[in-house]
Amino acid sequence: MNKKILCGALFGALGLAQVAVADDFDDRWYVSGSAGMGRFDSERDIGRPPVLGVGVGKFFAPRWSWDVQIEHANPRQDSNQLNWSLYSGSLVGRYHWRDEGETWWPYVSFGAGLQRHEQEFSDPRGGRPIDRRGNDLMVQAGVGLQAEYSRTSLRAEYGIRVDNDDTSNIDESYFLDTVASVTLLVKLGAAPAAMSPEPAPVVPAAPVTTCADLDDDGDGVNNCNDKCPNSQAGQTVGPDGCPVPVTIDLRGVNFDFDKSTLRPDAVAILSEAVSILQKYPELRVEVAGHTDSVGTDGYNQGLSERRAAAVYEYLTSNGIDASRLAGPNGFGESRPIDTNDTSDGRARNRRTELNVQN
């Protein structure tokens, strides 16, 4: 057989090894021992000897393994042969039809190497035996079945080998041999850690919005507790969301009986009120005046208005813009804060207030 053709076929098969499946696999090195039976080319006249071998290899991809193998056969003597030994060293690739989790799977093998022959046979003319030794190119192909275990594997394989022995005294340029063998593989080292699958992305649950998360009118009270859902933003409200009156009580800005003029002792208190309003320019207030119950309602109404006007005029004359002031408004004797049955109570009811509007 033409050696160039055999080499071309081998390298073409080796090129298939570049196609590999990207996946997780056990890539530990392993050692192997094999035993089989050879059926050699009938032209060799050497019978069917046992074939023993050792090797080392590993999976380089999920479906591809490569082994370096050394084998030996010592056939029985036939005809005039005194001794015949065959030694081979080869690189063998195997493509496995396997899927994750499978224990048994088929494969095909292909390889090439050198085979050494050492032949000794008697000289028909007498004298010393004839000795023939040499190294030949050997190519091989086969099919097999592999079983996988945690530490070991088992292969059963049937292969065909072409031995390019063209120096024999037989009129042949190559010999065709077959070998059926069983191989035990022992893996080296610890098993690779199982790779955990990438966790699926966690999609956060859509937040559940309740009335406790909402404040439609922006008053700081959530919708669940807001009993006045239409209050104005920035308005002073209570825990129930309803507006509450806020009063700057000008305590001490009282008036003499039946008077609407500011007493000297009231000026200091009003000056403090001016400072507060200047410090908080966003405040708007109502200027309100009140009386005690002495006198007619109509008279007290007018008196309360004059008292409110006196405070209003003081505030505006001291830098408080009139746009921030509501009123002046008088409420007469309608809103007492104390009893009108005592002189002290009536004195407290004669008052002015600044009622915050926002």
Side-chain angles (χ1 to χ4, degrees), residues 29-32 54-58 66-70 91 188:
W29 287 93
Y30 54 78
V31 293
S32 63
V54 294
V56 61
K58 69 176 294 185
W66 289 93
D67 294 73
V68 175
Q69 299 177 179
I70 298 175
L91 175 65
L188 306 177

Side-chain angles (χ1 to χ4, degrees), residues 203-258:
V203 180
V208 178
T209 302
T210 67
C211 61
D213 304 309
L214 302 175
D215 180 14
D216 291 341
D217 55 7
D219 60 2
V221 179
N222 67 65
N223 288 359
C224 295
N225 300 328
D226 198 342
K227 295 182 179 179
C228 298
N230 297 318
S231 59
Q232 299 299 315
Q235 191 174 20
T236 302
V237 298
D240 61 356
C242 294
V244 295
V246 177
T247 298
I248 301 175
D249 187 2
L250 301 178
R251 191 176 300 276
V253 181
N254 296 325
F255 296 86
D256 292 329
F257 178 74
D258 198 27

Side-chain angles (χ1 to χ4, degrees), residues 131-178:
D131 190 19
R132 189 177 73 90
R133 301 170 184 265
N135 299 316
D136 313 317
L137 174 66
M138 183 265 290
V139 295
Q140 64 184 72
V143 294
L145 189 65
Q146 181 161 329
E148 182 79 358
Y149 306 100
S150 59
R151 172 64 68 175
T152 60
S153 299
L154 192 66
R155 288 176 181 162
E157 183 171 327
Y158 181 79
I160 300 175
R161 302 178 182 184
V162 179
D163 181 3
N164 286 277
D165 180 2
D166 56 4
T167 63
S168 70
N169 57 353
I170 303 173
D171 188 19
E172 295 285 345
S173 60
Y174 68 90
F175 296 99
L176 189 64
D177 306 323
T178 61

Side-chain angles (χ1 to χ4, degrees), residues 51 71 82 92 111 118 122 166 205 212 264 321 334-335 350 358:
V51 179
E71 293 180 325
L82 303 178
V92 181
E118 295 181 356
S122 56
D166 56 4
D321 194 279
S334 63
R335 298 182 179 181
R350 297 191 297 270
N358 57 355

